[in-house]
Amino acid sequence: MTSGEDLIHRLTELATARFGPAAASLAAGDDLFDKLGIDSMQALDLLTDLEEAFGVEIPDYELQGVTTLAGLAEVIGRRR
Amino acid sequence: MLREPVPSAVSFDGATLSWHHAGACLEVSLHRAPLNEIGTESLRELEILARYLRGGAGGARAMIVSSSRPGFCAGADLRELYAGLVSRGRSRLGRWLPPGVARRLLRARIGGFIDRIHRVFDTLDRAPLPTIAAVHGVCFGGGFELALTMDRIVADRTARFCFPELRLGLVPGFGGIPRLERDVGNAVVRELLLTGRSLGARRAHEVGLASELVGRGEALAAARRAAEQLIRFEPRTVAAAKAFAKPVPAERLRRERALFCELVTRPGVLRALEAFVEDTSVRPYLPRAVGGA
C-alpha cells in the first residue's frame, strides 16, 4: 500500500468511526458532503479528528473547496 | 436614577440560560437551540445574570459557565442582526428614511445593543469570584468573546475557537480583541483575527488560551474539580488577586466598539450577512470569500 493509499485508508476509518458504516464504502473521489449529508458542525468535528489522529494542525482555509477523501489526504500529506 | 432589580432566586431557568448553585459554586448553563446564538433574548437573560452577580450571586464563591448544547456558543445571532439591518431604512412610522439618516439610526441602535453586551461582559469579567468557562465544540465569535471574560477556559478536545467576523466584513464587537490581547501574544491574536481560522483545543492549550485540556465531554467535570479548589481560598484575597492580575482593558474595549459600529453599517456587511442567512447549503461555518465592504 502506498503512503497515499494508506492515508485514504486511515481517513476512511476515521470517517466511518464518526459518520457510520456509510462512510466505509466511500471512494477517494466521492463528495463527503453529498454522500454522507454531513453539516458544517460535523465537518469541524472531522477536522478535530484529523488533527488528533495525524498530529497535524490544519487551518480551516486549507480546506476551502476540499470535499473528498483524496483532497483531505493531500492536505494532510502537505502538513506531515 | 432607577435602581435595577436584583434577582433573589438562587436558581433561574430562562429561555436561553439557566443557573443553580452546587455548593458554593454558581453553575450557569447556556441552552438556547441550536448553538446558543446571542440575540436580544440571550442578552436580556445575561443581564439578569449580571445583576445577580452584582448583587452578590447568592454568596457563590466560584462560577462555571458551560453549555448543554452540542457546542459552547456559535456567537451573535446573525439572523437577528441581519433582520435589524434590512429594516434600517424604515422609521417606526413605516416611512423610508434618507440613507444618511437611516445609517445613523442603525449605528445608534446597534451601538445600544453593543453597549448592553459590554456592560454584561464587563460584569462577568470583573466579577470578584473566580470564573471558569467549560468549553466543548464550537466557541465562535461572540461565544469566544464570552469565554474570554472568564478567568480560566477549560477546553475539551472537541473545542474550537474562532473569530469569523472578517468573513462578514466585521471585527469582533463584544470585546473579544482586547480580551484576547490580554491573554495571549499578539501573533496569535493576528492569526485568529486576520485569517478567520479556528484553533483546535490542543493548539488553544499550547498558546495559553485554554488553561486545561481534557477529554471529550470532560470539560464541565474538570471545571467543577477546579472550582472545588478555588472556593477554598479567602474570597476577599481572591477578589484582590483577580483584580490585580486581570485588568479590564477599558480603552481598547472602547476603541473596538467604535470600530465595530463604524464597520457594521457598510453595504458589504449587509451583503455578507444576507449570503449567510439565505445560504441553504449545510456549510455556513466553513470558510468562504465575501465581497468587500
Side-chain angles (χ1 to χ4, degrees):
Chain A
M1 196 180 278
T2 67
S3 60
E5 288 170 337
D6 183 50
L7 255 180
I8 298 281
H9 180 69
R10 290 187 65 194
L11 284 169
T12 305
E13 285 178 343
L14 278 174
T16 304
R18 175 155 292 282
F19 303 116
S25 58
L26 280 172
D30 284 344
D31 188 305
L32 295 167
F33 294 89
D34 290 343
K35 289 280 183 182
L36 301 178
I38 61 178
D39 61 24
S40 58
M41 292 296 114
Q42 290 170 313
L44 287 169
D45 286 340
L46 181 61
L47 173 57
T48 301
D49 288 348
L50 298 178
E51 290 184 331
E52 287 278 316
F54 294 101
V56 295
E57 213 206 335
I58 307 170
D60 311 41
Y61 50 78
E62 287 272 3
L63 298 178
Q64 185 91 44
V66 175
T67 60
T68 65
L69 292 178
L72 287 175
E74 192 181 328
V75 170
I76 292 165
R78 286 199 298 263
R79 298 204 151 248
R80 291 173 94 185
Chain B
M1 186 174 161
L2 290 172
R3 285 177 64 85
E4 56 186 15
V6 176
S8 56
V10 293
S11 66
F12 175 83
D13 190 14
T16 70
L17 63 87
S18 59
W19 75 67
H20 70 280
H21 287 253
C25 185
L26 176 65
E27 293 195 357
V28 180
S29 176
L30 310 175
H31 62 230
R32 183 193 179 196
L35 270 175
N36 294 316
E37 288 79 0
I38 300 172
T40 48
E41 184 62 11
S42 317
L43 174 56
R44 193 184 69 78
E45 294 187 353
L46 283 168
E47 286 175 328
I48 296 171
L49 173 63
R51 286 201 297 275
Y52 189 57
L53 286 170
R54 286 194 291 269
R61 295 173 65 171
M63 177 171 75
I64 297 170
V65 177
S66 66
S67 161
S68 61
R69 301 299 307 166
F72 183 74
C73 175
D77 186 337
L78 296 180
R79 284 171 176 79
E80 197 176 293
L81 178 60
Y82 174 71
L85 286 167
V86 294
S87 67
R88 68 181 175 176
R90 282 188 179 276
S91 72
R92 286 186 177 175
L93 297 174
R95 295 193 181 116
W96 286 97
L97 298 169
V101 175
R103 183 172 290 204
R104 280 197 298 278
L105 278 176
L106 178 67
R107 213 170 263 175
R109 193 194 310 167
I110 291 176
F113 182 87
I114 294 292
D115 285 343
R116 288 172 61 196
I117 280 279
H118 274 239
R119 276 195 290 275
V120 169
F121 280 20
D122 282 356
T123 298
L124 296 174
D125 198 327
R126 295 175 196 270
L129 72 175
T131 57
I132 304 171
V135 176
H136 69 282
V138 164
C139 185
F140 279 20
F144 188 11
E145 294 173 287
L146 171 62
L148 285 166
T149 67
M150 300 286 110
D151 301 340
R152 302 176 74 236
I153 294 175
V154 175
D156 93 1
R157 290 183 184 282
T158 66
R160 296 202 77 87
F161 301 87
C162 180
F163 278 144
E165 283 83 354
L166 255 71
R167 299 180 197 173
L168 300 171
L170 283 171
V171 295
F174 296 176
I177 302 173
R179 290 193 171 95
L180 186 63
E181 288 172 339
R182 179 176 63 184
D183 289 351
V184 301
N186 196 265
V188 179
V189 177
R190 294 195 302 274
E191 181 181 2
L192 277 161
L193 186 66
L194 300 181
T195 68
R197 64 162 297 191
S198 62
L199 285 192
R202 183 176 296 281
R203 177 87 194 285
H205 186 238
E206 284 169 1
V207 301
L209 175 61
S211 54
E212 281 187 61
L213 174 63
V214 298
R216 181 185 296 265
E218 292 294 322
L220 182 55
R224 284 172 174 154
R225 288 193 296 274
E228 280 299 311
Q229 169 70 9
L230 301 173
I231 62 176
R232 293 176 186 170
F233 300 126
E234 199 281 313
R236 281 173 301 184
T237 308
V238 170
K242 174 171 169 174
F244 183 75
K246 191 183 172 213
V248 175
E251 175 58 18
R252 294 285 290 163
L253 288 167
R254 189 192 64 74
R255 289 173 61 186
E256 183 201 77
R257 176 203 179 280
L259 179 59
F260 178 89
C261 289
E262 178 194 329
L263 295 174
V264 75
T265 53
R266 290 185 177 181
V269 172
L270 188 61
R271 286 197 300 272
L273 280 171
E274 183 179 19
F276 178 89
V277 168
E278 295 184 355
D279 186 356
T280 56
S281 80
V282 293
R283 305 173 223 184
Y285 290 99
L286 296 184
R288 71 188 60 214
V290 297

